[in-house]
Amino acid sequence: MSDYFSDPQTICARKTRPCIYCAESINAGDHYTRQSGVFEGSWFTSHYHHECYEDLREICMDEFTPYSNERPQRGAA
């Protein structure tokens, strides 16, 4: 079975949830990046702070350990 990743979407959070990249909270009312798809045969939905998603894409990490990364500074490039 092949892997599939949807295009990322900007969503307004309806409830507090952890960012899968840095484990810090995404609070209700915050805008965040959501991506879903199929990885190794299992369906997933991931929630990221915008800066965490951009950091992940910038360093081209296809795989990472969830909840174990540092949250990047906002606006840092």
Side-chain angles (χ1 to χ4, degrees):
M1 177 179 255
S2 62
D3 295 336
Y4 166 77
F5 299 90
S6 67
D7 291 332
Q9 300 175 321
T10 298
I11 304 292
C12 184
R14 290 183 286 164
K15 64 180 184 177
T16 300
R17 62 181 76 242
C19 172
I20 193 169
Y21 188 74
C22 71
E24 291 185 25
S25 293
I26 299 169
N27 297 311
D30 290 349
H31 286 84
Y32 69 96
T33 301
R34 178 175 73 188
Q35 187 176 40
S36 58
V38 177
F39 181 70
E40 295 182 353
S42 297
W43 180 259
F44 73 91
T45 300
S46 297
H47 310 274
Y48 304 89
H49 296 106
H50 293 302
E51 61 271 19
C52 291
Y53 184 79
E54 290 304 317
D55 192 54
L56 179 69
R57 295 291 103 207
E58 186 176 298
I59 57 177
C60 301
M61 289 176 60
D62 292 329
E63 294 185 33
F64 65 96
T65 303
Y67 310 111
S68 66
N69 300 283
E70 293 288 326
R71 184 175 180 182
Q73 294 291 324
R74 292 182 186 201

